[in-house]
Amino acid sequence: MGFISGEGVEPTLDFVKITAKKLVEHQPDLIVAVGGGSVLDAAKVMEVYYEHPDLSDNQLMARFQLPPIRRKARFVAIPTTSGTGSEVTPMGVLYVPSQNPQTPLVKRGIADYQLIPDFVILDPLFTLTMPPSVTSSTAIDAFVHCIEAYVCSKPKNPFGDNYALEGMKKVVTYLPKVMQDPKNLLFRGELQIAATMGGLAP
């Protein structure tokens, strides 16, 4: 069994490349990512480099054109926040080098349906350590993802609209309750479901 910890800040592409070498050394058949959205995103891309260590940046950034993955390991996502819905999205968002010295790093999304985790565990116990500010900001993030999906018209997705509406309703209903009773696992579980719905809605 191996263990890889995060940077403690938003993940960078360089960090992901370096850390993926540990996966290559260890050769796991199961990858379990535990953390907030940025941790899950980083782990998704690490798996790409685990299977394709020599992948170029251009190949990585080619949307929905990654070479085959999930041949060496299954992927389990366990979110510890209730915001991005990364546990069910085909995206991995990282900071990558830019050509602008004023902003040497910019956020870019790596996109491929293969990045969607094989399994997701939503356990509100993992969210108990979030401070109130993170609890509220991530829940608002989930609400924003839901409303973005709902107002999007290109293409309009009637199936996703149901997730989006229900996700918004859950945030409005349960975020105030969590703020008043932060140890309540039922309320926190509803926020986790709202975040996942936001990820499923687009």
Side-chain angles (χ1 to χ4, degrees):
M1 175 180 287
F3 177 78
I4 298 171
S5 62
E7 283 184 294
V9 294
E10 294 284 338
T12 62
L13 180 57
D14 284 345
F15 169 78
V16 165
K17 288 179 179 179
I18 291 168
T19 309
K21 292 178 181 177
K22 297 180 181 178
L23 292 176
V24 174
E25 292 169 7
H26 188 65
Q27 292 290 307
D29 58 12
L30 180 67
I31 297 170
V32 181
V34 182
S38 61
V39 171
L40 302 185
D41 285 352
K44 290 177 182 180
V45 183
M46 284 177 200
E47 186 194 6
V48 177
Y49 283 110
Y50 170 39
E51 299 213 24
H52 303 280
D54 299 321
L55 194 74
S56 71
D57 289 357
N58 287 338
Q59 288 174 306
L60 180 70
M61 297 298 171
R63 295 172 68 83
F64 299 99
Q65 295 182 49
L66 287 177
I69 61 172
R70 301 284 159 80
R71 299 170 303 172
K72 290 186 176 182
R74 301 294 247 168
F75 191 100
V76 181
I78 305 177
T80 61
T81 60
S82 303
T84 68
S86 176
E87 63 273 11
V88 290
T89 70
M91 299 290 295
V93 180
L94 303 173
Y95 274 101
V96 303
S98 77
Q99 304 300 320
N100 185 351
Q102 304 270 339
T103 53
L105 292 173
V106 294
K107 270 191 173 182
R108 287 283 301 274
I110 291 88
D112 197 285
Y113 290 117
Q114 297 179 89
L115 296 179
I116 299 172
D118 296 302
F119 305 98
V120 176
I121 298 174
L122 297 181
D123 187 337
L125 280 171
F126 284 99
T127 70
L128 285 178
T129 56
M130 278 194 294
S133 60
V134 177
T135 298
S136 60
S137 63
T138 54
I140 291 168
D141 192 23
F143 184 91
V144 169
H145 289 164
C146 288
I147 200 168
E148 284 176 340
Y150 186 71
V151 301
C152 177
S153 60
K154 296 181 180 179
K156 191 63 176 168
N157 182 350
F159 297 99
D161 283 353
N162 288 316
Y163 284 123
L165 286 170
E166 185 63 23
M168 286 187 279
K169 188 187 302 181
K170 285 183 182 297
V171 172
V172 170
T173 301
Y174 291 101
L175 177 56
K177 294 183 178 183
V178 168
M179 299 307 286
Q180 292 177 351
D181 185 6
K183 299 295 185 185
N184 190 300
L185 294 179
L186 173 63
F187 299 160
R188 284 191 173 275
E190 291 295 324
L191 287 184
Q192 279 194 310
I193 293 170
T196 301
M197 286 179 163
L200 291 170

